[in-house]
Amino acid sequence: TNSDGNAAVVVQNSMSILGDNLLGLQLANEPDLYGPHFKKWQDYSINDFLNETNYMVNNLPLSQPNIVGPSVCCMWTIGQLLDAGYLNQFASHLKYVDVMHYPHNNCQGDENVQELYPQYLSHTEVQNLVSPYFDAANVAVGAGKQFMMMETNTASCGGFPGISDSFASALWATDYAMQMAYGNFTYGLLHFGGQNVYYNPFTPPPTNMTQVRKWNTGAIFYAQIVAAEALGKTGNARVIDLFIDNNSANRAGYAIYENGVASRLVLINYVQPTTPKSNVNDYVATFAIGGGQTGLPAVNLASVKVKYLRADSVNSKDNITWAGQTFGPQFMSDGRLYGDLDVQTVQCNAADGTCNIPVPGPSVALVFLTDQAYQNSGGDVATPVTFATTTTTHRVIPTMDQTALLASNGRSGSDPLGATSKGGSSTTSGAVRRAGSVVGLVTVVVGVVVAKSLL
């Protein structure tokens, strides 16, 4: 609520400071869990939520439509909110209609990861994950609003070990991103956590964050690069699920059009080789542009460029490469790609205009149909772009008054000196003082851990 005025202050300062860089203001976060999680009254309903949303938008300094909502995840569906009039009632304030969803819940930590693993190697599962939002997305787009997946990842509460931090997550997330684009999503935001989660796209070192090559770049981060280059920089990409191989669960294919012209293909092979580094589970995708039964003029391509996202196994956590380059092993990354860029050229068949693209198992192939498509992908930069530091601080040397130090609660509380808790300096037994010191230490340590997990 805005009962203390803080929400209005946040909104005002956000718009003032961020300006055009402000994408939107999320007005709720999983409101369907407010009741079950005791954030509101137990029978908190959709009507209650609509009434509170109405109060908020009428008491916030909103100068333009920049609200993101309703951010439902679990107990209510986006369809129920739309049927209740959410979009019609708040259309003048909304910029995005959004949802939040994870394919599985790992908050209890009792899921059987081995049984779930195949679901992250299936195009069918990805389709089933996104298709429930198709109707809502079309309604939102029809009303002139963008549709967003505000929060998602492999599983809630940090993901699964062995899935969320392996190459399987990169394949899955690439497929998921393209499927959301096919379903009219504008954005899909992957959730981050602290040091103790598995699904982070990247994680800082557990100590000094300025240390070089001590970061961890997660497998799922590679999927974000593939999706970004596949959709390109024009901002008008349109995506089609090709349902390749009779809509096989083991393979996925997407075509990306820009200005009505085919520009790129994304081809995914989920199949794990039965023999390490063998090509027994590779497949070849054959395509042509126009001609045949399409009713469009045939386009004969002389050749196409291809980038591959590769790893030895779906279980791999290291040695993942994008076009021959890698961010490095776990906890040895500095956020830059290393190695020689390997963009392969595949010659096409001039006789019938077909191109045959090998897709190793497991891998993703991003096919650039024209040189312009490659240039517009944003991935043609040979040298990484770096930026100079614009803000610096002087080195700070902490000091402490020596008299205060002498009166502190050191020495395990063995002497009746000062304390950090109210009444803690009163004369009590040494045993009690020692216990208090230990509890204080544990509190500090737990506090640090919790703080890190929330960053």
Side-chain angles (χ1 to χ4, degrees), residues 105-113 116 155-161 198:
N105 182 349
N106 195 35
C107 295
Q108 304 304 318
D110 57 359
E111 293 279 6
N112 188 321
V113 178
L116 293 176
S156 59
C157 295
F160 296 123
Y198 299 98

Side-chain angles (χ1 to χ4, degrees), residues 25-29 31 44 46-54 56-57 66-72 76-99 139-140 143 145-147:
L25 298 163
Q26 186 185 17
L27 192 54
N29 187 72
Y44 186 79
I46 290 177
N47 285 334
D48 292 327
F49 173 64
L50 294 177
N51 290 334
E52 291 199 326
T53 301
N54 185 62
M56 291 299 293
V57 298
N66 53 14
I67 292 297
V68 183
S71 301
V72 294
W76 307 336
T77 68
I78 183 63
Q80 289 175 313
L81 268 295
L82 296 179
D83 290 342
Y86 178 84
L87 179 56
N88 293 333
Q89 185 174 354
F90 305 113
S92 61
H93 301 289
L94 285 169
K95 183 176 181 180
Y96 301 95
V97 175
D98 79 319
V99 292
V139 170
K145 308 302 177 183
Q146 300 180 62
F147 198 69

Side-chain angles (χ1 to χ4, degrees), residues 167-186:
F167 188 58
S169 70
L171 299 173
W172 172 85
T174 301
D175 197 358
Y176 189 17
M178 301 311 296
Q179 187 69 199
M180 283 193 286
Y182 169 63
N184 270 332
F185 283 78
T186 302

Side-chain angles (χ1 to χ4, degrees), residues 128-384:
N128 293 339
L129 186 61
V130 179
S131 59
Y133 300 107
F134 283 176
D135 290 342
N138 287 336
V139 170
V141 172
K145 308 302 177 183
Q146 300 180 62
F147 198 69
M148 175 192 292
M149 179 63 74
M150 171 61 77
E151 181 182 323
T152 190
N153 211 305
T154 46
S156 59
C157 295
F160 296 123
I163 295 178
S164 304
D165 54 356
S166 71
F167 188 58
S169 70
L171 299 173
W172 172 85
T174 301
D175 197 358
Y176 189 17
M178 301 311 296
Q179 187 69 199
M180 283 193 286
Y182 169 63
N184 270 332
F185 283 78
T186 302
Y187 291 102
L189 306 181
L190 292 176
H191 190 258
F192 276 68
Q195 298 284 345
N196 59 339
V197 304
Y198 299 98
Y199 59 35
N200 278 355
F202 52 83
T203 308
T207 52
N208 188 347
M209 294 186 186
T210 64
Q211 291 190 15
V212 177
R213 304 203 74 167
K214 294 293 182 68
W215 289 60
N216 183 53
T217 300
I220 203 168
F221 184 71
Y222 289 85
Q224 296 178 274
I225 299 178
V226 177
E229 292 190 24
L231 296 174
K233 301 186 295 184
T234 63
N236 59 21
R238 303 180 68 180
V239 180
I240 295 177
D241 187 337
L242 297 174
F243 304 104
I244 64 171
D245 198 13
N246 296 316
N247 202 24
S248 169
N250 299 323
R251 301 165 182 172
Y254 297 91
I256 296 93
Y257 291 77
E258 292 175 308
N259 300 314
V261 178
S263 58
R264 303 175 197 89
L265 299 175
V266 173
L267 305 170
I268 303 170
N269 187 352
Y270 280 111
V271 181
Q272 169 73 23
T274 53
T275 302
K277 297 186 178 181
S278 72
N279 60 359
V280 66
N281 294 116
D282 298 359
Y283 78 90
V284 175
T286 301
F287 72 91
I289 301 177
Q293 299 177 351
T294 65
L296 299 173
V299 178
N300 288 338
L301 301 174
S303 64
V304 294
K305 290 183 171 66
V306 185
K307 283 186 174 183
Y308 287 99
L309 179 64
R310 297 292 310 272
D312 291 339
S313 164
V314 294
N315 305 316
S316 297
K317 299 181 182 181
D318 295 316
N319 299 321
I320 298 171
T321 61
W322 170 235
Q325 298 180 310
T326 181
F327 286 104
Q330 295 184 92
F331 309 110
M332 295 181 64
S333 174
D334 65 359
R336 291 181 292 179
L337 287 166
Y338 286 87
D340 296 329
L341 182 65
D342 180 18
V343 181
Q344 300 187 21
T345 299
V346 176
Q347 301 298 323
C348 298
N349 188 340
D352 58 6
T354 59
C355 303
N356 299 315
I357 309 299
V359 188
S363 74
V364 177
L366 175 56
V367 184
F368 303 92
L369 304 181
T370 65
D371 290 339
Q372 184 177 7
Y374 179 67
Q375 294 164 2
N376 288 339
S377 71
D380 61 334
V381 180
T383 304

